[in-house]
């Protein structure tokens, strides 16, 4: 079972991730992990923090001579901002520390602040926001970059693009090659392949900047090169759609998930929604009329591209704050404002890729197993042979 955990707070020393269950012999390049971390930091609408950080991974266990060794992988990404917070968030208390604290006592509507402070019996929300912050996704992206390198060994790629920002949408059908070109861009605006739509999206973010507001939208993750049969129809918790939904909605600020064209499907008759089945006798393979199911039927991959969308609400830290309550006085007060982002859509796409890659690597190893890449590959190739001869 491939599993991972993260630790670390937004303004603490560092973010930490462990990943257990990866077979030995998977080639790992630090440059590839760092490139994914860089992608997570990009996009028009990011806040001041991204100017401080240049996220760089340190792999401290589980990889030797550029390959996994079948042991837990441990990774660290340092927070450069920590040096500004050593007295505000010390590990060991010291005399006079009270004056250095930065309490957050006017909880932000939409953030973890209020429920987290009440639940943990904190007088203010500082410790809650430190962990609830999307800074944590740095660790997820590092793990996802390892999962991606594993999947790449089997010709599977996972990428993303932005399809909606506030009210502005791009409905264009996108080819895999366009996503690889998008991912190779040196400058990231809003992560949309349609440049006209991207400029309209930029105007929405500009408006949010001007008015002290924030804006959300929709990103789509696409996985390419998948075999038929990852996941299972047999039990509720092995259905891949359910596992992906959990992974995507677990992302900070994501409030909804859609597989394929789910909301269009809900508004249409069955005859317009299902992807018809054909057979190419020369190529000896099944073909499909469309991919409205988003590559998943019965909780299993069906060999088409996997399409998973995340619906991202606007970031809850507003420069023009909403009404809240002072936790000390219980009087009405405006919510706390601390430096934040205005729009994080392209970054959310990159995090969605990481979460999808992790779930796919889990499902892949559930099915093909193996303590070494060679063993996994042999099992995989045997299965592909069986599918070819079906
Ligand atoms: C983030 C770092 C954070 C925020 C953002 C995500 O940095 P700071 O709090 O120091 O500005 O920019 O966190 C939030 C949006 C949030 O609501 O907490 C990052 O690295 O992605």
């Amino acid at each position: 079972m491939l599993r991972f955990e993260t630790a670390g707070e937004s303004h603490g020393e560092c973010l930490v991730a462990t990943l257990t269950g990866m077979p030995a012999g998977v080639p790992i390049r630090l440059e590839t992990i760092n490139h994914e971390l860089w992608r997570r930091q990009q996009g028009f609408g990011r806040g001041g923090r991204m100017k401080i950080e240049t996220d760089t991974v340190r792999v401290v266990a589980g990889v030797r001579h550029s390959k996994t060794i079948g042991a837990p992988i441990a990774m660290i990404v340092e927070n450069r901002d920590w040096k500004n917070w050593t007295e505000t968030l010390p590990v060991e208390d010291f005399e006079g520390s009270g004056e250095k604290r930065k309490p957050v006592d006017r909880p932000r509507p939409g953030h973890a602040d209020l429920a987290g402070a009440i639940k943990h019996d904190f007088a203010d929300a500082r410790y809650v926001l430190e962990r609830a912050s999307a800074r944590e996704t740095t660790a997820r992206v590092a793990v996802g970059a390892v999962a991606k390198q594993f999947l790449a060994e089997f010709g599977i790629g996972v990428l993303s693009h932005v399809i909606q920002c506030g009210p502005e949408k791009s409905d264009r059908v996108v080819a895999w090659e366009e996503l690889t070109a998008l991912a190779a861009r040196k400058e990231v605006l809003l992560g949309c392949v349609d440049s006209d739509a991207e400029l309209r999206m930029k105007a929405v973010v500009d408006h949010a900047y001007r008015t002290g507001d924030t804006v959300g939208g929709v990103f789509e993750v696409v996985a390419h090169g998948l075999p038929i049969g990852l996941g299972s129809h047999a039990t509720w918790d092995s259905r891949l759609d359910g596992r992906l939904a959990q992974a995507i909605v677990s992302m900070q600020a994501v409030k909804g998930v859609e597989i394929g064209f789910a909301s269009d499907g809900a508004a249409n008759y069955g005859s317009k929604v299902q992807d018809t089945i054909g057979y190419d006798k020369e190529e000896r393979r099944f073909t499909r009329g469309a991919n409205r199911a988003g590559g998943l039927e019965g909780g299993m991959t069906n060999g088409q591209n996997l399409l998973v969308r995340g619906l991202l609400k606007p970031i809850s830290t507003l420069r023009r704050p909403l009404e809240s309550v002072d936790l000390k006085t219980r009087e009405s007060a405006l919510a706390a404002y601390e430096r934040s982002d205005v729009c994080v859509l392209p970054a959310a796409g990159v995090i969605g890729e990481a979460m999808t890659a992790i779930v796919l690597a889990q499902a892949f190893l559930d099915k093909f197993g193996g303590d070494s890449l060679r063993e996994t590959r042999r099992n995989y190739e045997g299965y592909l042979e069986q599918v070819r001869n079906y």
Side-chain angles (χ1 to χ4, degrees), residues 4 30 61 70 86 120 134 169 199 207 235 237 292 310 360 389:
F4 81 101
L30 298 183
T86 49
H120 293 283
K169 290 184 190 182
L199 285 177
H207 179 80
T235 57
D237 54 352
R292 287 182 282 256
L360 288 174
N389 294 324

Side-chain angles (χ1 to χ4, degrees), residues 10-11 15 40-41 46-50 52-53 55 79 81 85 108 111 126 129-138 252-253 315-317 338-342 344 347 351:
S10 186
H11 305 104
L15 299 148
R40 196 202 70 92
Q41 292 198 268
R46 292 293 256 154
R49 179 73 183 272
M50 293 304 104
I52 300 174
E53 305 295 342
D55 292 333
N79 282 325
D81 206 16
W85 290 79
R108 293 160 296 173
H111 217 288
R126 167 57 64 198
L129 85 85
E130 286 297 325
R131 178 60 184 164
S133 166
R135 181 86 193 128
E136 182 261 348
T137 60
T138 309
Q252 292 81 342
I315 297 286
S316 44
T317 311
E338 208 165 86
R339 173 188 66 194
S340 188
D341 308 288
V342 167
V344 292
I351 302 155

